[in-house]
């Protein structure tokens, strides 16, 4: 009798439809390598923001996110249409927030300028933001510099990658380049050659004066169901991580190439 009951139970379980796992939230980030926040490794999108989003969603009891790196305009269009739920790593005032719900900033980026001590043995002091106009500024292809008060047309953006950019400084082809300290500190994650280039003492890093930190946010599509609860859950989680200093712990594994 017991054997028959067990067999009957097994048949019922086989006949019952399997409970489907909740569909993941689709999310996207720009397809540029942006360590420590999002970058590609072994055909996977990884980084501090990916880790943080997974933690926030799990703590809120929400489905996990599937994060893709896409051309930025396409990413924004997919989120605006509601086909994707979230965009990652959106800088303060970078986009029109009207089609989206914008979260609290989860990290602040700090501007720095870098110069070669081989070329400027006595240092290169920048005391005011306006001082940048006195120097030959270079940058990566595709980057813009209006936020520093510079004319993009006057910035040498011929370098395709950071090793080329650093080589230009050491050769005296330009005087300095501008970036974010948090990104510079994690560049070795996408190019191991850069750790030595950043730490051998010949590349000097200084804070840009008069430049306010820039926040990074999530954008939530207004067209998805439960858009407001999702944004509220992310905000609550971000505030909790910042208050408990857990955000620093999420960032720590991705830093190390330069001292803060």
């Amino acid at each position: 009798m017991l054997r028959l009951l067990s067999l009957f139970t097994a048949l019922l379980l086989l006949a019952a439809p399997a409970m489907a796992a909740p569909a993941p939230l689709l999310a996207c980030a720009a397809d540029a390598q942006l360590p420590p926040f999002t970058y590609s490794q072994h055909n996977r999108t990884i980084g501090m923001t990916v880790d943080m989003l997974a933690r926030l969603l799990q703590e809120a009891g929400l489905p996990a996110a599937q994060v893709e790196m896409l051309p930025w305009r396409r990413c924004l269009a997919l989120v605006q249409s509601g086909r994707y739920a979230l965009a990652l790593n959106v800088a303060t005032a970078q986009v029109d927030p009207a089609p989206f719900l914008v979260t609290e900033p989860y990290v602040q980026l700090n501007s720095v300028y870098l110069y070669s001590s081989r070329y400027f043995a006595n240092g290169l002091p920048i005391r005011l933001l306006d001082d940048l106009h006195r120097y030959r500024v270079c940058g990566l292809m595709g980057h813009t510099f209006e936020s520093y008060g510079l004319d993009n047309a006057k910035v040498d953006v011929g370098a395709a990658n950071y090793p080329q950019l650093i080589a230009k400084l050491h050769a005296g082809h330009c005087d300095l380049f501008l970036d974010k300290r948090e990104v510079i500190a994690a560049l070795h994650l996408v190019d191991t050659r850069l750790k030595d280039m950043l730490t051998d003492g010949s590349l000097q890093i200084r804070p840009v004066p008069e430049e306010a930190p820039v926040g990074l946010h999530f954008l939530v599509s207004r067209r998805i169901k439960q858009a407001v609860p999702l944004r509220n859950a992310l905000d609550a989680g971000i505030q909790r991580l910042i208050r408990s200093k857990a955000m620093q712990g999420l960032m720590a594994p991705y830093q190390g190439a330069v001292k803060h």
Side-chain angles (χ1 to χ4, degrees):
M1 182 70 179
L2 182 59
R3 184 178 177 184
L4 287 173
L5 184 60
S6 298
L7 180 60
F8 181 69
T9 303
L11 289 171
L12 283 177
L13 290 173
L14 287 171
M19 291 184 65
L25 293 174
L26 296 180
C28 55
D31 58 359
Q33 299 280 58
L34 188 68
F37 304 106
T38 48
Y39 59 102
S40 177
Q41 193 172 85
H42 306 303
N43 296 318
R44 292 177 57 239
T45 302
I46 62 173
M48 177 267 189
T49 309
V50 178
D51 296 346
M52 178 185 59
L53 179 59
R55 177 168 173 171
L56 294 177
L57 293 174
Q58 182 181 38
E59 290 178 351
L62 295 170
Q66 178 181 313
V67 181
E68 297 179 49
M69 293 173 66
L70 300 172
W72 187 231
R73 289 185 180 179
R74 182 181 171 203
C75 174
L76 290 179
L78 288 168
V79 176
Q80 184 171 345
S81 70
R83 291 176 60 190
Y84 278 46
L86 293 161
L88 282 60
N89 303 329
V90 183
T92 303
Q94 184 178 347
V95 296
D96 177 9
F100 312 100
L101 298 175
V102 185
T103 69
E104 296 288 324
Y106 46 82
V107 72
Q108 300 286 344
L109 303 182
N110 297 278
S111 292
V112 290
Y113 67 96
L114 297 90
Y115 69 92
S116 172
S117 60
R118 299 179 195 172
Y119 198 75
F120 289 98
N122 297 320
L124 192 160
I126 303 289
R127 296 184 176 86
L128 301 171
L129 199 57
D130 199 51
D131 290 347
L132 293 173
H133 293 280
R134 297 164 41 202
Y135 296 98
R136 297 170 299 158
V137 179
C138 53
L140 286 179
M141 196 178 298
H143 285 205
T144 59
F145 301 90
E146 298 100 328
S147 64
Y148 300 101
L150 297 173
D151 181 351
N152 286 323
K154 296 181 179 178
V155 177
D156 175 356
V157 288
N161 53 52
Y162 283 98
Q164 289 181 14
L165 199 50
I166 293 168
K168 287 179 106 170
L169 291 184
H170 290 325
H173 296 317
C174 58
D175 299 327
L176 62 89
F177 75 85
L178 299 153
D179 216 302
K180 302 300 181 186
R181 178 176 290 275
E182 294 76 12
V183 173
I184 294 295
L187 287 176
H188 64 287
L189 296 169
V190 295
D191 189 336
T192 54
R193 296 172 298 166
L194 283 165
K195 188 162 189 178
D196 290 337
M197 297 179 80
L198 291 166
T199 58
D200 69 0
S202 59
L203 193 67
Q204 300 298 310
I205 303 172
R206 300 287 184 270
V208 175
E210 303 181 316
E211 180 75 358
V214 174
L216 290 185
H217 310 251
F218 294 110
L219 292 183
V220 178
S221 175
R222 289 183 181 272
R223 298 205 171 191
I224 64 169
K225 292 181 180 179
Q226 305 298 312
V228 172
L230 174 57
R231 192 271 309 273
N232 292 345
L234 293 174
D235 275 345
I238 290 166
Q239 291 165 8
R240 186 168 58 251
L241 290 177
I242 292 173
R243 252 191 337 265
S244 67
K245 301 191 185 310
M247 196 71 80
Q248 297 173 10
L250 286 167
M251 181 77 83
Y254 297 99
Q255 300 287 275
V258 297
K259 295 180 179 178
H260 287 268

